[in-house]
Amino acid sequence: MTTEPLSSKGTILIIDDEKVILDLTSIVLRNRGYTVFTASDAIAGLNELELHQPQLVLLDYMMPVMDGLTALREIKERFPDSYVIMFTGKGNEEIAVELMKAGASDYILKPFNNQDLVERIENVLRIRRVELRNRELTLERERLLAEIEEWNRQLEARVQEKTEALQRAQAEIVQSEKLASLGYLSAGMAHEIRNPLNSITLFAQLVKSGFDDPELLGYVDKILKEVDRIDETMRKLLDASKRPRYQLSEVRIDRIIEATLEVFKPQASLYHVDVVRDFRNIPPPFQADQAEIEQIFTNLFLNAIHEMRDGGVLTVSLDHDGEELSVRVSDTGGGIAPENLSKIFDPFFTTKTSGSGLGLAVVLRIVKTYHGRISVEKSDSSGTTFLIRLPLASG
């Protein structure tokens, strides 16, 4: 910014190789209240510009060393806030037009009268004030627009965050309602179904004791086997809806994961599934029932390997932030169909040709028992990732 006395009407640099013009013009402008600097050639003038950065430059076109047009272009490039009025001789109107195209704000023909010079200067300085103010307003407008855009982006992000939180809360409410309904239903079914099953078992055993025919005995064995299968389904249904007997102890989830992976080692080898462990931060022990935590990973690993019958990679990632642990179980199978994502935790829902469809319902019940969360973080043609979060203060 230009430093000038408070009483000054403005700062002006005169560049002219004619000493008479320099002296007389300086006297006129100082008498009118302007702060005036002078230079006898363009090189010296550029040094004065660097030092004082005046508001206006009176620049002669015909000068030694560096002509006015060259100096004008240098000034407009290096000092765009310094406006320029060119001095030209009579008969040089075409040159004057060229100077205006190069960036001069006005031109004055020599010789000139003092009143015309002052009026031209005042007019250019007035235009300069308006243009610089417009530039400031434009920059301020751009800054405000950028701030508004950033506020909108932050607002959209917060709305998105709140919407996702609401959706998660609604999904958890739906899951809780489903589990509550399932608990009520399964408790009644267990009572109503197991009594007839016990009777069927007793009668089948009695019938079996009276047969010698191997074929008939085979039929009875099949009846007993199907009874056992129904009873097993009822047990799983109860596990999915109601917490069975449990015993809390200090558990190390990394060791549970390792032990469960060891159980599935033969299946992984059979289907050419590679296992990758990504244990970034081992969580500290926390209070839980070991069998329940094992059941989570048994069901997830079983489902993952089932999706990779032609080979793939099972990745288990483990991390914690001091408050909760996170486990990601990823496969490289074909993914879950989008229309099925909202139903995978529903009891009896399955896309397999065999199985009860209760595995993930059991996982959901156990995770919620420990005040945790489970979700499908990703599922597409490259595979599926389940994310489990459990508070380290569970119990």
Side-chain angles (χ1 to χ4, degrees), residues 154-297:
Q154 292 179 3
L155 180 60
E156 288 175 0
R158 291 184 65 184
V159 169
Q160 180 67 20
E161 181 182 343
K162 296 297 182 184
T163 300
E164 290 175 354
L166 179 60
Q167 291 173 342
R168 287 195 299 269
Q170 290 173 335
E172 289 184 5
I173 290 172
V174 170
Q175 289 176 347
S176 298
E177 290 175 346
K178 287 179 179 179
L179 287 178
S181 300
L182 180 62
Y184 178 80
L185 176 64
S186 59
M189 288 178 63
H191 176 75
E192 295 298 328
I193 294 177
R194 276 183 166 164
N195 285 339
L197 282 181
N198 288 334
S199 298
I200 293 171
T201 301
L202 289 173
F203 285 124
Q205 289 173 348
L206 287 173
V207 170
K208 184 177 180 180
S209 65
F211 286 147
D212 293 324
D213 187 333
E215 185 177 356
L216 294 176
L217 288 173
Y219 293 153
V220 174
D221 287 338
K222 288 180 181 179
I223 292 172
L224 292 172
K225 184 178 179 181
E226 291 303 310
V227 168
D228 289 339
R229 193 160 70 90
I230 295 171
D231 189 65
E232 176 66 14
T233 301
M234 288 304 306
R235 186 190 62 76
K236 289 182 179 179
L237 184 58
L238 287 171
D239 286 347
S241 61
K242 183 179 179 182
R243 191 177 194 182
R245 292 181 180 179
Y246 62 93
Q247 182 175 357
L248 297 180
S249 62
E250 291 280 307
V251 299
R252 291 282 302 270
I253 197 165
D254 56 310
R255 295 178 182 175
I256 291 176
I257 292 172
E258 288 285 10
T260 311
L261 285 173
E262 188 64 26
V263 171
F264 281 94
K265 192 173 182 180
Q267 280 184 276
S269 177
L270 177 64
Y271 296 115
H272 306 290
V273 173
D274 294 325
V275 177
V276 175
R277 296 163 179 81
D278 182 18
F279 292 1
R280 300 174 187 178
N281 289 301
I282 305 295
F286 66 100
Q287 287 284 316
D289 181 89
Q290 180 162 330
E292 285 185 320
I293 305 301
E294 286 175 353
Q295 205 167 4
I296 292 175
F297 298 110

Side-chain angles (χ1 to χ4, degrees), residues 309-373:
R309 294 297 184 95
D310 296 323
V313 179
L314 169 62
T315 303
V316 185
S317 302
L318 178 60
D319 203 349
H320 80 94
D321 59 9
E323 294 184 359
E324 66 177 13
L325 62 85
S326 60
V327 184
R328 286 175 171 83
V329 178
S330 305
D331 64 59
T332 55
I336 302 169
E339 63 272 16
N340 293 334
L341 280 172
S342 62
K343 299 179 284 188
I344 60 172
F345 294 106
D346 291 354
F348 301 112
F349 176 79
T350 181
T351 57
K352 301 174 185 176
T353 55
S354 61
S356 63
L358 290 169
L360 288 179
V362 172
V363 170
L364 174 63
R365 195 273 303 159
I366 296 172
V367 169
K368 292 184 72 65
T369 295
Y370 291 94
H371 309 291
R373 306 184 302 280

Side-chain angles (χ1 to χ4, degrees), residues 29-75:
L29 295 179
R30 287 193 177 102
N31 289 339
R32 297 298 179 106
Y34 292 100
T35 300
V36 179
F37 308 100
T38 61
S40 59
D41 61 65
I43 301 298
L46 290 172
N47 291 333
E48 290 291 317
L49 270 161
E50 186 76 46
L51 183 61
H52 302 292
Q53 296 186 27
Q55 297 167 338
L56 180 66
V57 179
L58 300 178
L59 177 63
D60 189 26
Y61 174 70
M62 294 295 294
M63 287 187 299
V65 184
M66 180 186 292
D67 64 80
L69 178 59
T70 303
L72 171 63
R73 288 169 176 162
E74 183 83 6
I75 291 169

Side-chain angles (χ1 to χ4, degrees), residues 93 148 245 376 385 388:
E93 286 84 351
I148 292 171
R245 292 181 180 179
V376 178
T385 298
I388 302 162

